[in-house]
Amino acid sequence: MGDISGEILINSEMPSELNDLLYFVRTNSPYYQQLWRNVPSDGSAPLDQYPVVNHASYWAANTCMDSQVLTGPHVSGIVLKTGGTTSHPKVTFYAKDELRMASQQLGLGILAAGVRSHDRVANLFYAGEMYGSFLLHVLSIMDLTIPLVHLPIGGSCTSETTIQYMRESAATVVFSTVTTLVKLSEWLLGRQEVMMGIRVLMFSGEAFYEDQRSRVSQAFPRAKIRSLIYGSIDAGALGYSRSEHDSRLHTVSSPYVILEIAPDGLTSTKANGVPGSVLVTNMGRRLQPVIRYPSGDLAEWVDYENGIFRVLGRDTIGVRIGPVSIDTKHLRQIVTSSLGKSGDLGAFQAVISRANMRDVLTLRVGHRPTDEEVTRGAISKALNDARPMFLDHVERGLIAPLEIEFLAVEDFKISPTTGKLAELVDERPTV
């Protein structure tokens, strides 16, 4: 597996293999039998005529001990939690041969991202509590035929300890979430230190924003920043890193998956440059099938014929404060534009809470401005200008005034099990 040239077969539709998979799933999965009840069972319907999976019904049917999604009993393999496409982790089941295939796919992705012979790889993903990122990268490195040294540091160490391990072990490559990379960068720069020996920083699990890149590049001045893999535990490895200059570019991991881009969320397009929801059919997942499953992301084809696509970010994640709806992506843009030349945005989080019988929107901003009140006023004005309805509802007493907190990156609350930072936190109690 040292050379991936010739191993990635782009846009291989494999009609016989696909038809065999669809027949097997329809025959053995109660969930898909119900979902496909109006689709002809004679194999005449093309893939895009099958219904798109609804996340809510899929995960409601996929309970731990009596899953209606599975095609048979789970007697060999692994059970993992997945939080890639929902706000709460869910359980996903892999048979042993499926886990081996997933590991091999990830190995191909690691090579595509630029790992070389004799690299020393610091694995900073989180381990334990049934999450799979750390484990899968251990397995994928073991599968590679090129000589590598694996440094299983994990994600639970302090920034100081992590940097110490990386220096003592002469790490050259880092596997990590974006949040961890930013925290390490802030720790180094806060002490006026840098790490010159890191050749490549490879991230996965979170979007890497341009306003984070300059800080990370200052702390790791010789390191390229690349996507490690595009995928998730529930959907699989969907795309391999394509570019050193645009980390959003990936090549479909064909023939292992069929990837569709659906502008309306249902009907796929082959047109380049048209944004749409990413739908995944994993050809290797037969125990817990993944057929036309929304990844939760938006993407566009750059070169459909060669399977090259650009990830554009998460599908719309709306913040609803009272009757006012705002996209988290737009909130981040408002904050970034308001900072101007005063600095970079290390982290961002929108928190919704309740106080005095009103919804409260708090923006947590990973930035230390020279004048907090001026910057706070600029952010508030930008939001009011962009969404006059928000200001109107504040003045009418229907929602609380905007609150803004400026925090150091290490003060943000991240998931203790995945190391990821949720851009939206809803703290409102429900009954």
Side-chain angles (χ1 to χ4, degrees):
M1 202 183 293
D3 179 8
I4 64 170
S5 60
E7 295 190 44
I8 302 175
L9 306 178
I10 305 303
N11 285 332
S12 175
E13 296 295 338
M14 304 182 300
S16 61
E17 290 87 344
L18 177 58
N19 284 335
D20 175 69
L21 174 64
L22 295 175
Y23 176 80
F24 175 82
V25 171
R26 183 196 290 270
T27 303
N28 295 284
S29 168
Y31 172 79
Y32 280 101
Q33 287 174 4
Q34 175 65 19
L35 181 65
W36 297 347
R37 62 190 181 278
N38 295 322
V39 179
S41 59
D42 59 1
S44 61
L47 181 61
D48 61 6
Q49 296 302 306
Y50 284 73
V52 172
V53 164
N54 174 273
H55 276 188
S57 65
Y58 181 92
W59 289 108
N62 188 54
T63 55
C64 289
M65 298 306 297
D66 187 28
S67 173
Q68 298 300 295
V69 176
L70 299 192
T71 57
H74 186 214
V75 295
S76 177
I78 195 168
V79 181
L80 297 171
K81 283 186 179 179
T82 171
T85 55
T86 61
S87 59
H88 301 288
K90 304 292 191 296
V91 173
T92 189
F93 302 88
Y94 279 78
K96 184 184 291 186
D97 58 342
E98 294 173 348
L99 178 64
R100 186 176 295 111
M101 180 182 293
S103 168
Q104 292 170 349
Q105 287 180 254
L106 188 53
L108 290 174
I110 290 171
L111 293 175
V115 167
R116 300 174 183 168
S117 296
H118 306 296
D119 267 328
R120 303 174 67 85
V121 181
N123 182 353
L124 306 187
F125 287 112
Y126 281 64
E129 297 200 31
M130 297 178 69
Y131 284 93
S133 57
F134 184 87
L135 171 65
L136 281 173
H137 286 91
V138 172
L139 296 176
S140 65
I141 289 173
M142 294 294 291
D143 270 337
L144 296 178
T145 57
I146 63 173
L148 292 174
V149 174
H150 181 211
L151 309 173
I153 298 171
S156 60
C157 300
T158 64
S159 296
E160 179 179 11
T161 301
T162 300
I163 294 296
Q164 179 183 341
Y165 284 144
M166 290 166 60
R167 283 175 168 160
E168 290 177 347
S169 302
T172 60
V173 175
V174 177
F175 293 175
S176 176
T177 64
V178 175
T179 299
T180 296
L181 290 179
V182 173
K183 286 176 62 179
L184 294 178
S185 300
E186 294 294 342
W187 190 91
L188 287 167
L189 296 175
R191 289 155 182 77
Q192 297 184 327
E193 299 177 13
V194 296
M195 287 196 70
M196 304 298 292
I198 302 299
R199 189 177 62 79
V200 190
L201 299 169
M202 298 184 181
F203 67 91
S204 182
E206 297 176 287
F208 202 119
Y209 295 99
E210 282 301 314
D211 48 49
Q212 298 168 319
R213 184 177 294 272
S214 63
R215 293 294 282 175
V216 174
S217 294
Q218 289 175 47
F220 301 92
R222 292 183 178 173
K224 297 175 181 177
I225 300 173
R226 296 196 60 159
S227 167
L228 173 58
I229 197 78
Y230 171 58
S232 63
I233 297 297
D234 49 354
L238 312 182
Y240 303 134
S241 181
R242 179 77 188 186
S243 170
E244 295 181 1
H245 308 291
D246 186 348
S247 60
R248 300 172 300 167
L249 282 181
H250 296 81
T251 302
V252 177
S253 56
S254 177
Y256 304 105
V257 303
I258 295 174
L259 187 142
E260 302 174 77
I261 295 177
D264 61 357
L266 301 172
T267 307
S268 59
T269 181
K270 298 180 181 179
N272 294 332
V274 179
S277 300
V278 175
L279 305 179
V280 184
T281 296
N282 191 312
M283 297 296 294
R285 296 289 300 277
R286 296 174 74 90
L287 176 64
Q288 182 176 336
V290 177
I291 311 289
R292 303 206 80 203
Y293 179 90
S295 75
D297 292 322
L298 292 173
E300 64 182 7
W301 290 115
V302 174
D303 183 349
Y304 174 80
E305 293 302 323
N306 289 299
I308 304 171
F309 64 99
R310 178 181 288 112
V311 180
L312 301 177
R314 297 296 287 172
D315 233 334
T316 300
I317 303 175
V319 179
R320 191 169 183 87
I321 313 99
V324 183
S325 295
I326 310 174
D327 190 339
T328 54
K329 180 168 60 177
H330 295 156
L331 282 174
R332 186 185 183 103
Q333 291 171 348
I334 286 171
V335 170
T336 302
S337 64
S338 300
L339 297 181
K341 297 181 179 179
S342 62
D344 299 304
L345 182 62
F348 169 78
Q349 194 171 61
V351 181
I352 314 170
S353 56
R354 292 284 291 177
N356 300 318
M357 299 181 68
R358 296 181 298 176
D359 283 352
V360 183
L361 173 62
T362 302
L363 302 183
R364 292 174 179 163
V365 180
H367 174 71
R368 290 296 191 187
T370 54
D371 190 321
E372 287 194 6
E373 288 308 310
V374 170
T375 306
R376 186 175 282 110
I379 294 172
S380 296
K381 183 179 185 302
L383 175 60
N384 294 335
D385 290 345
R387 295 303 305 269
M389 185 180 179
F390 183 88
L391 176 61
D392 174 65
H393 281 68
V394 170
E395 292 176 340
R396 291 163 57 187
L398 300 177
I399 59 178
L402 176 69
E403 295 187 5
I404 302 170
E405 300 175 355
F406 297 103
L407 305 173
V409 174
E410 57 266 23
D411 293 331
F412 276 75
K413 292 181 180 179
I414 65 173
S415 168
T417 53
T418 67
K420 298 179 184 179
L421 174 68
E423 288 205 336
L424 175 61
V425 178
D426 194 336
E427 297 179 342
R428 292 173 291 190
T430 57
V431 294

